Amino acid sequence: MITRREAAQFLDIPPEMAKRHGIPARISQEELAAMDENPPAWLAQSRANRTGKRPVWTTLECVICGQTETARPKKWWPEFTYVYCQHHDPGELPELPAEWVRSEYDGIGTRFIGVVDVALPGS
């Protein structure tokens, strides 16, 4: 049995949609596979409406230790160069190239810091 949240990740839908359309708190993998293969009308419509601009779910992976977490990306998240666990020292990150600048964003997922590295103009 898997949780509703895991089912939502598998179906690539928000957890709120899974609950609204009656996916139980626990569902068997067989039931979930059957739903994926023969989607109900609401799921087929949801998939047809996807524009592909922003994923429903994303996997965050620490560049230092490899810990992962599946999270719902927020609208304000930029395209991260790296993410790393909050307990790591920023000095453990890959070296920043000369003429580049690094920005950090706290509060990514439940335990990550996002990093965006960009080249300075004219470099």
Side-chain angles (χ1 to χ4, degrees):
M1 298 294 275
I2 61 173
T3 66
R4 182 184 297 135
R5 185 176 195 278
E6 292 168 330
Q9 291 172 7
F10 178 80
L11 296 171
D12 199 27
I13 60 173
E16 301 83 16
M17 182 182 285
K19 185 175 184 177
R20 182 173 53 244
H21 289 287
I23 295 178
R26 295 240 177 238
I27 186 171
S28 73
Q29 291 181 339
E30 294 79 19
E31 290 174 296
L32 188 59
M35 182 182 291
D36 187 46
E37 290 176 24
N38 297 306
W42 63 267
L43 182 55
Q45 184 66 43
S46 173
R47 289 175 173 173
N49 289 343
R50 290 287 309 275
T51 61
K53 291 180 183 174
R54 184 157 298 279
V56 176
W57 295 94
T58 190
T59 300
L60 303 171
E61 182 177 357
C62 177
V63 69
I64 299 167
C65 70
Q67 259 191 358
T68 62
E69 174 182 312
T70 302
R72 300 269 319 270
K74 307 300 181 224
K75 290 181 181 179
W76 60 268
W77 286 5
E79 188 68 33
F80 296 116
T81 308
Y82 309 109
V83 292
Y84 69 99
C85 299
Q86 294 171 338
H87 65 269
H88 292 299
D89 183 78
E92 297 177 74
L93 290 170
E95 191 173 322
L96 186 65
E99 303 297 321
W100 284 57
V101 64
R102 177 168 283 166
S103 300
E104 293 189 351
Y105 299 83
D106 288 329
I108 307 305
T110 61
R111 65 174 162 266
F112 293 102
I113 296 172
V115 175
V116 177
D117 292 346
V118 293
L120 290 172
S123 44

